[in-house]
Amino acid sequence: MSNNGVVLIVVDALRYDTACTHMGFMQHLVERGAAARYEVRSEVPSLSRPLYETILTGTPPIIHGVTSNATVRLSNQTSLFHLVKESGKTTAAAAYYWVSELYNRAPFNHFADRIQLETDFPIENGLFYFEDHYPDSHLFAEAAWLMNEKQPDFLYIHPMNVDDDGHKFTADSKEYRNRVLAVDAILSLFIPNCLAQGYDVVVTADHGMTSDGNHGGNTIEDRHVPMFVLSRQVKQGIKEGIVSQLQVAPLVCQLLEIEPSEEMVPLLLNGVRTKKEA
């Protein structure tokens, strides 16, 4: 593995305010000068499949055309997976099956596509689940296996249990808040392993969750999500203001030291150091 690998973790439906109040380990990293914290506003519609595509290509739905969860097709954009491969680096993902449908094969075959190893697809090594209640603990164990055995330069991880409990019990429920606590506990074990292996880590979300137990709209609860960044290339601390979700993809390119796609917006993120500063 190169010395500038990146792990991008997208916690489905993690609201910004709940992340701030219930992710004690992540806040510890911020307070102790190990991480930066940003408030990110997602694109709309604040739905999962459109925003997976936005995060991974740096383009809005009006450009990439994935405007609904019912849009089942391969991406027509240049994703981070494509860019990483084109630069001679390697890719892997432990993620929900919609990610495979966007970048590897569509539609997803539950029997053939669950495990995809040593492929020529943009996601070279992928472990994909297809039940929303698939345990986050199992998913991170699979991600750890990918990291240790395949040593990818870019590893994408996408747990779903926060979203699942949000839909079942609403964002105002103890179940939703406790699930955020549980993800934070997993991250407290997983992130130190990433850092020990030389990875930068970005933790963010696709969208939030409302008191109605849903998302898709234009409220702060629907759209505002966190982004924690652990990298020597980004100054630590809590950053003021609200950041566009379109900044995630160019940030990952910067951390990986690869060229962004022509469709991505310029990286204008407060706190990103120049190469000389880093």
Side-chain angles (χ1 to χ4, degrees):
M1 187 195 73
S2 68
N3 60 5
N4 62 318
V6 172
V7 176
L8 173 59
I9 302 170
V10 176
V11 181
D12 208 288
L14 176 62
R15 278 171 46 155
Y16 177 75
D17 56 352
T18 311
C20 292
T21 56
H22 283 69
M23 298 191 88
F25 173 71
M26 299 307 299
Q27 181 60 28
H28 167 71
L29 295 175
V30 174
E31 291 184 4
R32 303 313 301 173
R37 191 186 81 195
Y38 296 87
E39 183 173 359
V40 173
R41 181 169 56 231
S42 81
E43 290 293 305
V44 280
S46 50
L47 297 169
S48 294
R49 198 186 297 254
L51 298 184
Y52 302 164
E53 176 78 333
T54 289
I55 289 170
L56 286 163
T57 68
T59 59
I62 197 170
I63 298 297
H64 62 59
V66 181
T67 56
S68 165
N69 285 340
T71 307
V72 181
R73 60 161 172 79
L74 287 172
S75 170
N76 58 21
Q77 299 295 305
T78 303
S79 73
L80 289 170
F81 297 113
H82 292 88
L83 293 170
V84 171
K85 280 199 68 178
E86 289 170 3
S87 72
K89 298 176 184 287
T90 57
T91 64
Y96 195 56
Y97 75 102
W98 288 0
V99 176
S100 176
E101 288 184 324
L102 281 168
Y103 307 110
N104 279 13
R105 283 196 292 235
F108 186 85
N109 183 311
H110 289 61
F111 296 104
D113 294 340
R114 166 85 170 93
I115 299 172
Q116 302 177 38
L117 300 177
E118 305 296 337
T119 75
D120 291 327
F121 295 128
I123 304 173
E124 295 166 291
N125 291 285
L127 300 175
F128 301 101
Y129 64 98
F130 44 82
E131 299 285 357
D132 292 13
H133 58 271
Y134 186 75
D136 289 351
S137 57
H138 291 43
L139 180 74
F140 276 95
E142 292 169 352
W145 183 88
L146 286 169
M147 182 187 302
N148 294 330
E149 297 298 322
K150 301 301 180 181
Q151 296 188 322
D153 295 291
F154 176 54
L155 175 59
Y156 177 80
I157 306 172
H158 172 228
M160 184 66 77
N161 291 171
V162 171
D163 181 79
D164 189 43
D165 278 355
H167 285 303
K168 290 175 178 174
F169 305 108
T170 83
D172 289 344
S173 66
K174 64 180 182 181
E175 289 84 0
Y176 178 83
R177 293 187 292 271
N178 285 340
R179 186 63 66 183
V180 174
L181 285 170
V183 171
D184 184 68
I186 294 172
L187 292 175
S188 74
L189 300 174
F190 187 80
I191 287 179
N193 187 39
C194 298
L195 300 178
Q197 296 196 44
Y199 285 95
D200 287 347
V201 180
V202 178
V203 181
T204 188
D206 49 352
H207 53 72
M209 181 67 63
T210 71
S211 58
D212 295 331
N214 217 329
H215 53 85
N218 188 37
T219 69
I220 290 175
E221 291 76 15
D222 282 289
R223 298 185 68 181
H224 286 220
V225 300
M227 182 169 68
F228 299 92
V229 184
L230 289 83
S231 171
R232 286 180 294 179
Q233 295 190 56
V234 179
K235 297 176 183 177
Q236 302 86 355
I238 297 172
K239 308 302 180 185
E240 298 297 327
I242 299 171
V243 174
S244 166
Q245 194 171 49
L246 299 177
Q247 290 287 296
V248 177
L251 170 64
V252 172
C253 290
Q254 172 85 1
L255 300 182
L256 284 167
E257 298 181 3
I258 62 176
E259 289 297 318
S261 71
E262 293 182 359
E263 292 77 17
M264 290 180 187
V265 299
L267 180 61
L268 300 172
L269 202 61
N270 177 31
V272 176
R273 293 184 170 101
T274 64
K275 289 183 180 180
K276 183 176 180 180
E277 289 174 328

